[in-house]
Amino acid sequence: MKLGELVFNGQNHFPTMNLAAGTVVGDAVAHTGAATAGRGADGNPLLGKVLTKEADGVGAVALEGAGFTDIATVGTLPLGYQTLVVDGAGKAKVGAGGTRVLVNIAQNGLANIKL
């Protein structure tokens, strides 16, 4: 399927997506619209992490299946499988209705998770 210039057939775990206003590289993001990733609202399910951002507002996003990545967090996450949501400011936290991921290492404000 195609949306504007973005073609999703054949893309892997690092698709190029539209990035919502205010989204920056390294943000924990939610799915905020058709083919769009953004900081979302507090409590939205975690979609992934922004890896790149181009001048035209598109960028690569690491999604489920992308493997291990470091992500900014609110506080220290519990280890093991956790359900993560975004906080609306580019960080991830544990929350109901989120995305289940493995938290491999966790320190105050940073975690290594398996998407």
Side-chain angles (χ1 to χ4, degrees), residues 4-96:
E5 296 297 317
L6 300 178
V7 179
F8 287 87
N9 288 344
Q11 288 209 39
N12 56 25
H13 306 293
F14 306 95
T16 299
M17 299 181 74
N18 293 311
L19 299 178
T23 305
V24 299
V25 171
D27 274 353
V29 291
H31 193 239
T32 59
T36 304
R39 290 183 168 187
D42 188 19
N44 287 159
L46 175 71
L47 173 68
K49 176 184 172 182
V50 177
L51 301 175
T52 65
K53 182 176 181 179
E54 305 298 325
D56 61 359
V58 301
V61 179
L63 303 179
E64 182 178 348
F68 288 95
T69 190
D70 293 340
I71 199 159
T73 64
V74 175
T76 303
L77 301 182
L79 298 178
Y81 283 95
Q82 303 297 329
T83 305
L84 300 186
V85 298
V86 298
D87 72 343
K91 295 181 181 181
K93 63 182 185 177
V94 174

